[in-house]
Amino acid sequence: MNPLAQQLNDTIAKEQPRFAEMLSGLGKAIYFPKIGILSQSAEAKQKAKTYNATIGIATENGQPMHLKMIQDKLSAYNPKDIYEYAPPAGKPELRSAWRDKMLKENPSLQGKTFSMPVVTNALTHGLSIVADLFADAGDAVIIPDKNWENYELTFGVRRGAEIVEYPLYAADGRFNAQGLREALLSRKPQGKAIVLLNFPNNPTGYTPSREEGAEIVSAIKDAAEAGINVVAVTDDAYFALFFENSLHESLFGALCGLHERVLPIKIDGATKEEYVWGFRVGFITYGGESEKALAALEQKTLGIIRATISSGPHPSQTFVLDALKSPEFEAQKAEKYAIMKGRANKVKSLLDSGKYSGVWSYYPFNSGYFMCLRLEGIQAEAVRQRLLDKYEVGTIALGEHDLRVAFSCIEEPYLEDLFDRIYAAVSELKAEVAEQV
């Protein structure tokens, strides 16, 4: 093993030994080179005042070389803030600004120990880093039965982890904390579990209440006290899009410092929070009690980044940083939030109106981009195909009877027409099935 990797492992083992037990084989082996090209270039940037012949970019007239036709379109930005490579961990000022934002929006983080956010190439990349650092073949990844399909690719296909599902909803429609507890405790013989907490949930748009959130934290603590090392990942892709009386902050804060066997990891980003999907700016943040252990985990994270994408895109980091610093940021974000909340409320009023009774029910939702219909007596895939072919409507079929509808991308005046079309397609197919019986 490389001495740098061993040094990081030793630091984690000394400072937070349970965290060391959670690392995958790759997680133990990875490190960020101290004498590699990037570190030497960073040193030269500070000291090479005459000539800096270290890094592979071209310069002209004291600035990064660039094409005028591109710079003309980006003239509001200094070439050094868009054309140079960004540091592997991301722009330092952006990382600080995002940490400040996290503290402001998550009061439970006050007084907690957590790392500086590291910039990722959006949230999928952050989840991939978690998989690389902590998931070995056979390790359990615990997710609800209503989940984002990419978890299977990221943790199951890429890393060989075992996907363990539990029902998202209890019989009363609340979050199934007991199901989560049982899934966690089932891993006692293995002594390790990775749990993914995705709220607002994709595909259902559900966020637990404060009481349910406390039950989730309690379930994770119970697993830790039973001797299970828990990598607790909050996938906060749709953070802040909370439209009703639910949790309005990430569970990451409540998980920080919960137990020596719990490693909280927050995956979030500007992607959906700031409506910049194509910018691909995400963050990964670690919680714990030892700053030295967190620094070592950050170095291993940089090793993964260096070995895969090297660093994230610089222009989009600059754009996001400028937005966070703008005095207009909060007002403009509130304006878009109000639009999204209006769409969610409109959908719920339509579904509760009685207009579509008898052909479907819906899973509880209160946040995010989506909601899910639970079709009765008809296949979701058949409905999806009929909607495409006859009604020119796109939806997502999930499993046998669930149909995901993204109200986020349908303007409020058109939502009733959308559900009228879905209702018509379902009604037609139900009638056809009845005729065949």
Side-chain angles (χ1 to χ4, degrees), residues 381-395 425:
E381 176 61 15
V383 173
R384 186 185 76 85
Q385 293 286 352
R386 178 64 60 90
L387 283 168
L388 282 174
D389 295 340
K390 183 174 180 179
Y391 293 97
E392 299 181 331
V393 168
T395 54

Side-chain angles (χ1 to χ4, degrees), residues 391-407:
Y391 293 97
E392 299 181 331
V393 168
T395 54
I396 300 292
L398 300 170
E400 292 288 315
H401 301 292
D402 295 346
L403 194 73
R404 191 190 79 173
V405 180
F407 55 78

Side-chain angles (χ1 to χ4, degrees), residues 8 41 64 99 138 145 230 289 325 333 351 366 373 400:
L8 294 173
S41 297
R99 193 178 198 275
D145 59 350
V230 182
E289 296 180 347
K325 292 164 58 178
K333 189 172 177 181
L351 296 175
N366 53 19
L373 297 173
E400 292 288 315

Side-chain angles (χ1 to χ4, degrees), residues 145-158:
D145 59 350
K146 312 299 180 189
N147 59 71
W148 185 43
E149 63 181 13
N150 214 14
Y151 292 149
E152 172 67 33
L153 293 177
T154 303
F155 291 90
V157 176
R158 285 190 66 251

Side-chain angles (χ1 to χ4, degrees), residues 22-172:
M22 300 178 197
L23 290 168
S24 66
L26 175 57
K28 293 172 183 174
I30 199 69
Y31 61 94
F32 186 69
K34 285 188 176 179
I35 56 172
I37 292 173
L38 293 184
S39 59
Q40 293 180 51
S41 297
E43 186 179 10
K45 194 170 185 179
Q46 298 297 321
K47 298 180 179 180
K49 304 300 183 183
T50 303
Y51 303 113
N52 183 1
T54 62
I55 199 161
I57 70 167
T59 60
E60 186 177 26
N61 299 321
Q63 292 184 327
M65 187 179 291
H66 53 269
L67 302 181
K68 182 178 181 298
M69 62 182 180
I70 294 177
Q71 183 59 30
D72 285 347
K73 293 181 172 62
L74 298 170
S75 58
Y77 298 94
N78 191 311
K80 71 179 181 63
D81 288 324
I82 52 179
Y83 296 112
E84 293 182 358
Y85 293 117
K91 289 174 73 81
E93 193 178 356
L94 173 60
R95 298 175 65 195
S96 295
W98 196 262
R99 193 178 198 275
D100 291 343
K101 176 179 175 293
M102 286 171 55
L103 282 165
K104 180 180 179 181
E105 296 177 341
N106 297 274
S108 60
L109 277 175
Q110 296 294 333
K112 301 293 181 69
T113 302
F114 61 100
S115 71
M116 187 70 75
V118 173
V119 176
T120 60
N121 192 34
L123 284 84
T124 303
H125 181 219
L127 291 165
S128 176
I129 291 171
V130 173
D132 284 347
L133 289 179
F134 301 103
D136 274 325
D139 284 346
V141 175
I142 297 174
I143 56 177
D145 59 350
K146 312 299 180 189
N147 59 71
W148 185 43
E149 63 181 13
N150 214 14
Y151 292 149
E152 172 67 33
L153 293 177
T154 303
F155 291 90
V157 176
R158 285 190 66 251
R159 298 295 301 159
E162 177 188 354
I163 304 298
V164 177
E165 294 186 354
Y166 62 94
L168 174 63
Y169 297 103
D172 59 1

